[in-house]
Amino acid sequence: MARERQLSRRSLLGGAAAAAGAVGLTATTAGTASAAATRTVDVAVVGGGLAGLTAARDLVAGGRSVAVLEARDRVGGRVVNLNLPGGGFTEGGGEFIGPTQDRIKALADSLGVATFATYNTGDNLLYKDGKRTPYDTRGILGSVPPVDAAGLANAAIVQSQLDSMAKQVPVDAPWTAAKAAEWDKQTFESWLNTTAVIPSAKFLIDVACTSVFSAQPRELSLLYVLYYIAAAGNSSSAGTLERLTDTAGGAQDSRFVGGSQQVPIKLAATLGDRVVLGAPVRSVARSGSRYVVTADGITVTATRVVVAVPPPLAGRIAYDPLLPAERDQLCQRMPMGSIGKAIAVYDTPFWRADGLNGQAVSDSGVVRSTFDNSPPDGSYGALMGFIEADEMRAYDAASVDDVRAAVLEDYANYFGDRAKSPASFVLQRWDNEGFSRGGPVAYAPPGVLTAYGPALRKPVGGIHWAGTETSTYWNGYMDGAVRSGERAAKEVLAALWGRS
């Protein structure tokens, strides 16, 4: 069977639920904390996700010695492949790539990791007020769910206003926008309450918000939302809300052959034993002109440090001297979104025979948006559902069995009774993952960007900051992580060796 053939490749695919795959591949090239108690290098990189690994790659290319300290027993950070009990794998974290995400695409291409189109053939589903409505995305509305006419008209106005306002936000310094103070003192919800006046329009924008941020509108600064929209592009294409939410032509356009974790795994392999696994960093202390970075089982002395983890986790490291109050306050005030992914695996992608593409949007349930996560050849079926924001928080402490029951009830509502009986079920709760504590991004509530935003990227002495949260484009995405690593490496090379 095709699933069994894919199972033979599991040792290359890694996973949070069964991490031996990722570690198996990297153990031949990456070091472990016990393998070397001390190292002296030019640059210590904290974090072995896409940001840290990209920074390390560019620093090595610039002729510098590097040590990457990764807390987990795998590389990839919020990007991970999950092995399936019956063979094959699915993706438990970041997985999609789309137009204008140029840097992750260039990195993947350089490593020989190909992409394929997210399954998008057939109708989408709207599940609202207990009613199931299939709809064709090839019509004038595209992927917008077919709510009532008044709601569609109101939602179109809201989207147009958001895109127009976002164009006024500089992606490299959103706190300098002409209306930054006005927009940053209110929540996204308070703005929506005066703009999305039709309930069905509010539903559409709420679903878009939780799908993008894994946070409720009441939690987000309006300025931050506008910045995030502005960042959904590149230097030649302005960001739009539609690009964030669309599948074809949007941020969910494509996936990686072999799973998204193939990118960091292969990148780490090029760095060899410069990558040290199982080494959570506890402190960064200045000692004369250098820094001593202390992790479990290893101490690294370096001239510069790149911290490539989310702000709330970066703030848990002990620094000596203390970080400036501005930077520390930023770390305290940017929480992670609340997100999980639930994947039900079936012998076949049966929904396709019903003319459905596996994408559903709902106003109820624990899972309110779904995708077809089946492999390119359709040799087995996989329905992936996002559990986000309030729904995820409600199930953070629940048993896997309870989450499974709730999720499968939703899948049955959307795709019929066959969805109740998967061959296997995989759950990744990022809120409970010790070295992420949520995802997909650390977001800014009201008042944070205007008061503390400049500290996102501003170096502190010889400490530089990377991670998708620091990116000017595609903040919160894999592309943003790669961009941030490239930027941090340039900073270090320019600061110490006059190179860019």
Side-chain angles (χ1 to χ4, degrees):
M1 294 176 62
R3 286 176 67 191
E4 292 173 336
R5 289 197 297 272
Q6 293 207 10
L7 176 60
S8 69
R9 301 201 304 271
R10 277 196 302 178
S11 62
L12 302 180
L13 295 175
V23 179
L25 183 141
T26 57
T28 60
T29 50
T32 61
S34 60
T38 62
R39 293 191 190 184
T40 299
V41 295
D42 294 324
V43 186
V45 178
V46 180
L50 283 169
L53 294 172
T54 299
R57 174 204 63 180
D58 289 359
L59 289 165
V60 170
R64 300 300 138 194
S65 58
V66 172
V68 179
L69 302 176
E70 167 54 45
R72 301 171 177 86
D73 59 0
R74 63 169 181 83
V75 294
R78 285 165 276 178
V79 176
V80 64
N81 290 352
L82 305 175
N83 291 335
L84 298 175
F89 66 93
T90 191
E91 289 143 306
E95 66 175 278
F96 298 111
I97 179 176
T100 74
Q101 295 186 4
D102 313 307
R103 302 316 303 154
I104 180 65
K105 183 63 165 61
L107 174 61
D109 287 348
S110 73
L111 296 168
V113 181
T115 61
F116 67 100
T118 302
Y119 191 81
N120 201 39
T121 301
D123 289 345
N124 282 30
L125 281 175
L126 169 65
Y127 188 82
K128 189 173 186 297
D129 300 324
K131 181 182 178 182
R132 177 180 176 274
T133 304
Y135 63 98
D136 190 338
T137 62
R138 295 170 298 180
I140 190 171
L141 295 177
S143 61
V144 178
V147 297
D148 57 277
L152 288 171
N154 189 195
I157 292 171
V158 172
Q159 178 174 320
S160 177
Q161 289 185 357
L162 287 170
D163 286 347
S164 177
M165 294 158 68
K167 290 178 181 177
Q168 304 171 49
V169 177
V171 293
D172 59 343
W175 45 88
T176 66
K179 294 185 178 181
E182 174 187 340
W183 291 338
D184 202 32
K185 70 181 180 182
Q186 59 184 304
T187 65
F188 185 37
E189 182 172 66
S190 64
W191 181 83
L192 282 177
N193 286 341
T194 63
T195 313
V197 293
I198 305 297
S200 55
K202 180 68 160 51
F203 155 70
L204 291 178
I205 303 301
D206 281 354
V207 168
C209 176
T210 54
S211 296
V212 170
F213 300 101
S214 299
Q216 303 294 147
R218 67 175 186 271
E219 299 175 292
L220 303 163
S221 157
L222 174 60
L223 177 63
Y224 178 74
V225 171
L226 296 175
Y227 157 59
Y228 212 82
I229 294 171
N234 58 21
S235 58
S236 59
S237 299
T240 65
L241 179 60
E242 185 177 27
R243 189 177 292 127
L244 282 172
T245 58
D246 272 1
T247 300
Q252 289 68 233
D253 183 89
S254 301
R255 297 167 58 199
F256 289 108
V257 176
S260 52
Q261 199 188 4
Q262 285 290 291
V263 179
I265 285 174
K266 290 191 173 185
L267 180 54
T270 69
L271 294 168
D273 64 4
R274 298 180 184 90
V275 180
V276 182
L277 303 177
V281 170
R282 306 302 181 182
S283 65
V284 177
R286 186 150 196 164
S287 178
S289 62
R290 298 177 70 80
Y291 288 87
V292 178
V293 181
T294 304
D296 290 2
I298 184 171
T299 299
V300 176
T301 301
T303 303
R304 292 269 159 157
V305 180
V306 175
V307 177
V309 297
L313 298 185
R316 297 178 186 179
I317 298 171
Y319 298 89
D320 182 14
L322 292 174
L323 293 179
E326 179 186 43
R327 173 68 198 188
D328 188 66
Q329 288 285 326
L330 175 81
C331 292
Q332 293 183 50
R333 293 166 187 264
M334 287 189 73
M336 301 298 291
S338 296
I339 186 171
K341 293 178 77 172
I343 301 97
V345 181
Y346 306 87
D347 289 339
T348 64
F350 62 85
W351 50 92
R352 296 182 183 180
D354 296 331
L356 301 174
N357 61 19
Q359 296 173 46
V361 173
S362 176
D363 67 348
S364 61
V366 61
V367 167
R368 302 196 177 188
S369 63
T370 68
F371 283 87
D372 183 328
N373 254 40
S374 309
D377 62 3
S379 55
Y380 58 89
L383 281 175
M384 183 273 287
F386 286 109
I387 310 174
E388 301 183 283
D390 282 349
E391 284 68 48
M392 187 68 263
R393 289 187 280 265
Y395 279 86
D396 277 338
S399 69
V400 173
D401 286 344
D402 285 347
V403 178
R404 182 182 187 275
V407 168
L408 294 183
E409 181 178 352
D410 291 338
Y411 289 178
N413 286 334
Y414 308 152
F415 302 105
D417 285 345
R418 290 180 66 183
K420 293 180 179 178
S421 303
S424 59
F425 180 84
V426 179
L427 177 65
Q428 174 73 23
R429 285 185 275 198
W430 288 100
D431 295 19
N432 296 341
E433 206 277 345
F435 298 112
S436 293
R437 299 318 305 262
V441 65
Y443 63 86
V448 173
L449 286 180
T450 48
Y452 308 106
L456 266 170
R457 290 184 295 276
K458 183 181 178 181
V460 176
I463 304 173
H464 300 256
W465 310 105
T468 190
E469 288 83 4
T470 71
S471 185
T472 53
Y473 286 111
W474 287 108
N475 184 291
Y477 289 76
M478 292 185 287
D479 187 72
V482 173
R483 290 175 188 269
S484 77
E486 293 173 338
R487 186 259 311 150
K490 288 179 179 178
E491 285 179 3
V492 172
L493 291 172
L496 287 185
W497 297 284
R499 297 182 57 183
S500 60

